Amino acid sequence: MSDQMRLAQVTLRLEDAQRRLYEVFGRVARPKRVEGCPHCVTPGEERCLSEGPVASIEAADLARYAAKALTTWGGTADLRYFLPRLLECAANDAFVYPDPEIVFGKLAAADWQHWPGDEPDAISDFLFAWWSATLHRDSTWPPIGTIVCCLAATGSDLAPYLQAWSRLDTQAAVRHLHDLLVTDVRWTPSPRLTNAFWDRGGTPHHQLLTWLSTGPAAGAVEAAFDRETREPVLDLLATIHPWVTPPEHEWPTSTVPTS
């Protein structure tokens, strides 16, 4: 199956997952009022959030709530009500502020994995569908480093996402691995992720660095070499391989990016 056919399939799955988010969270009662800190939220400021369907809220109107949700504006019930639109906007980087990582981090702060009914499954399906679509898109915005950090910010186990990436079965997946290594990993004196939103003591941060620097990513690149025939992809794989191959002593600064 061609990359374009796969992209069409995963795009449909993402659209289905997004629709399911709206269906599942459409059962959450509309808040009569979203209470906020009187020093941070002006009276009536929430009015634009409660007029019309959630899906029709403009990103610009939702952005301030997205930044302040759970901290100084509203609680978990309010977050659940607005969640489909919040995730839709954040996944498309539709907010000038807050950054997508902040929005996805609200899920972990609200302990989403213990929400009622099929809400956690709907969120998980959306996250994985978003990731699958990313691995099939040659260009993506937000960039790959932001997307991986967003997934980590939710408190999710990155293992299934990295397993999917390890297939490296599209040119886009290979390109994204290259881009992550170039822009989001600082290699010396030891590998670390540069995005400021990473919890560097957290499990997802450890999972990604372990995958990149201790052999699994190198194995995925070598397996892709064996089956790949397209010259541009082979060139990318050849560039990536030295970066993800565990060194015997230290990272060769002459062949790895420094930022």
Side-chain angles (χ1 to χ4, degrees):
M1 185 184 298
S2 70
D3 285 1
Q4 286 302 314
M5 291 178 67
R6 289 178 180 151
L7 175 59
Q9 287 185 344
V10 297
T11 300
L12 286 174
R13 291 190 197 118
L14 177 57
E15 292 170 356
D16 288 344
Q18 188 166 291
R19 276 194 295 270
R20 187 183 178 210
L21 270 183
Y22 278 101
E23 290 170 3
V24 170
F25 286 92
R27 305 170 197 150
V28 179
R30 183 197 298 267
K32 293 180 179 179
R33 185 183 176 202
V34 185
E35 298 287 344
C37 166
H39 303 289
C40 307
V41 182
T42 58
E45 191 174 353
E46 82 283 353
R47 194 171 299 121
C48 63
L49 303 179
S50 57
E51 297 175 349
V54 171
S56 68
I57 302 175
E58 295 291 337
D61 293 332
L62 190 60
R64 188 164 158 79
Y65 168 77
K68 295 178 175 294
L70 299 180
T71 52
T72 58
W73 198 355
T76 298
D78 305 308
L79 180 71
R80 288 169 54 229
Y81 177 76
F82 294 111
L83 189 75
R85 185 62 176 147
L86 287 168
L87 296 188
E88 180 183 9
C89 289
N92 290 286
D93 203 15
F95 299 127
V96 176
Y97 180 83
D99 296 286
E101 297 95 332
I102 293 175
V103 179
F104 281 92
K106 304 291 183 181
L107 286 168
D111 197 22
W112 68 277
Q113 291 169 331
H114 295 97
W115 285 0
D118 52 357
E119 293 178 4
D121 286 343
I123 294 170
S124 294
D125 288 349
F126 173 79
L127 295 176
F128 200 82
W130 182 38
W131 179 242
S132 296
T134 296
L135 295 181
H136 288 77
R137 290 172 175 163
D138 286 322
S139 61
T140 185
W141 194 262
I144 188 66
T146 296
I147 293 175
V148 180
C149 191
C150 285
L151 297 173
T154 69
S156 296
D157 179 4
L158 289 189
Y161 299 95
L162 297 177
Q163 184 177 8
W165 205 355
S166 292
R167 289 195 287 270
L168 293 178
D169 54 357
T170 66
Q171 181 168 335
V174 176
R175 167 62 65 185
H176 293 325
L177 178 56
H178 172 275
D179 292 348
L180 181 84
L181 293 168
V182 170
T183 62
D184 285 84
V185 184
R186 187 173 296 277
W187 292 92
T188 56
S190 60
R192 67 181 178 87
L193 302 171
T194 59
N195 187 320
F197 288 105
W198 278 100
D199 173 6
R200 294 193 172 90
T203 297
H205 182 267
H206 176 73
Q207 286 179 303
L208 181 54
L209 279 184
T210 297
W211 183 74
L212 288 172
S213 64
T214 66
V221 169
E222 290 159 8
F225 260 127
D226 290 340
R227 64 176 181 270
E228 187 57 63
T229 59
R230 294 168 293 183
E231 285 298 327
V233 183
L234 288 168
D235 288 344
L236 278 175
L237 292 168
T239 301
I240 292 168
H241 189 258
W243 301 346
V244 295
T245 301
E248 293 184 6
H249 302 292
E250 62 182 18
W251 296 98
T253 55
S254 61
T255 58
V256 298
T258 57
S259 63

